[in-house]
Amino acid sequence: MNASAVLIFLFSSGVAWSQIFVASAASIAGGQIGAYALKRVNEKILRVCIIFIGFGLAIGLFMKAHGVLQ
């Protein structure tokens, strides 16, 4: 699926390549850092943190959608 997306972007005229290079470098770095951290962080603590972040984002998006946040 990613390979087909890359092919579509390669042949599209409206692609901001400088932003793509930054995003791809950040994605690769994040994957490497995540794999490194996964081996060193307690799994239960990581899961709890991910749940709190997910709930926080969901509440923030809900509040933004209903005009509470600007």
Side-chain angles (χ1 to χ4, degrees), residues 35-51:
Y36 175 80
L38 184 60
K39 294 180 182 178
R40 284 151 181 74
V41 175
N42 184 347
E43 185 178 339
K44 286 186 179 185
I45 294 173
L46 180 64
R47 286 181 186 208
V48 169
C49 289
I50 290 171
I51 289 169

Side-chain angles (χ1 to χ4, degrees), residues 3-15:
S4 62
V6 168
L7 288 174
I8 291 170
F9 283 124
L10 280 175
F11 296 108
S12 297
S13 62
V15 176

